[in-house]
Amino acid sequence: MPLHTGEALVLRTYRLGESDRLVVLLTRDRGKKRGVAKGGVRSRRRFGGALEPFTHVRVAYQEHEQRELVRLDYADVLGSPMTIGGEACTYASYFAELLDEWAPDNHPEERLYRLGVAVLEALESGVAADRTARYFEYWLLRLQGVYPSIQACPQCGAPLRGGAVLEPRSHWFLCRQCASHAQGVSMPAAALEFLAEAAHVAPGRLGDLTIPGEALGPLAAAHRLLLVWHLDREPRAARVLREINP
Ligand SMILES: [Zn+2]
């Protein structure tokens, strides 16, 4: 069986029988892989702490042509949300769940991988988890080509600098004029400014952006709607986060 080594993000892990673990990995170069970590429940030597969701690891695994599951040889931690602790771990599970939803099996998707690693590093360097989450959602949906334009109203062409409304039927940001009769999430100008800057800034620099606290709430509400529209359900970890931060 050929042996592969490389970097990966752990997306999900669960117990398989008495002592093994099933691990879903987003590898940098070969896309999403499902593997078995033999003895993963107890073997601190080979897998100690490396199998938690959103851990950045260096892995070695063996792949058999006829089998769907690869066999994990070892995983070394390169970065971990466990070192940050607290809320960051819940956010990390949320990011891992969304990557798992969108990353295709066995198909390299390096931009998603790089987004995940950069966001983990931002959390580790102390960037606030809520603005990191808004950044992550924005980029995730952008990379899938489904984030609505934040530049101009698609109905009348007016620039959206002054604010917008996320219109639930079209899933677009409309100018306030066009949205005057529509229900939807009202986005203050500061939220759109944050997005415009986030398009050009690495997540590690998010701490430098000014975003008033009152702009983060509408952004979170708009992103929740966009995600539910595209996933047909609310991410599990998002519900947990909502219970923590009502
Ligand atoms: Zn308009």
Side-chain angles (χ1 to χ4, degrees), residues 219-230:
L219 207 49
H223 285 184
R224 186 185 315 138
L225 281 182
L226 287 169
L227 286 168
V228 168
W229 286 331
H230 290 290

Side-chain angles (χ1 to χ4, degrees), residues 46-180:
R46 281 159 74 208
F47 302 112
L51 303 180
E52 295 300 322
F54 216 53
T55 305
H56 182 202
V57 286
R58 167 162 288 283
V59 283
Y61 59 91
Q62 299 182 43
E63 189 164 29
H64 191 285
E65 251 179 53
Q66 263 99 53
R67 289 191 207 129
E68 200 215 333
L69 294 177
V70 304
R71 207 181 83 188
L72 218 59
D73 262 21
Y74 68 80
D76 288 337
V77 178
L78 300 173
S80 166
M82 305 294 277
T83 61
I84 319 157
E87 242 184 33
C89 286
T90 316
Y91 276 100
S93 305
Y94 173 61
F95 301 148
E97 183 183 347
L98 289 178
L99 286 175
D100 192 20
E101 283 288 344
W102 263 291
D105 284 326
N106 303 315
H107 179 80
E109 190 54 88
E110 203 184 337
R111 289 186 308 174
L112 279 184
Y113 170 83
R114 289 209 322 257
L115 172 65
V117 170
V119 157
L120 172 62
E121 287 170 355
L123 289 178
E124 286 176 313
S125 72
V127 177
D130 56 352
R131 63 171 64 194
T132 306
R134 303 299 80 85
Y135 178 95
F136 178 86
E137 293 154 344
Y138 173 57
W139 268 99
L140 184 74
L141 293 164
R142 271 190 99 196
L143 290 176
Q144 307 309 309
V146 295
Y147 203 92
S149 168
I150 57 168
Q151 306 296 332
C153 171
Q155 251 172 51
C156 70
L160 295 177
R161 280 190 297 271
V165 173
L166 181 65
E167 200 273 317
R169 270 180 314 153
S170 60
H171 308 171
W172 286 335
F173 289 122
L174 299 184
C175 73
R176 299 206 184 281
Q177 204 95 50
C178 291
S180 57

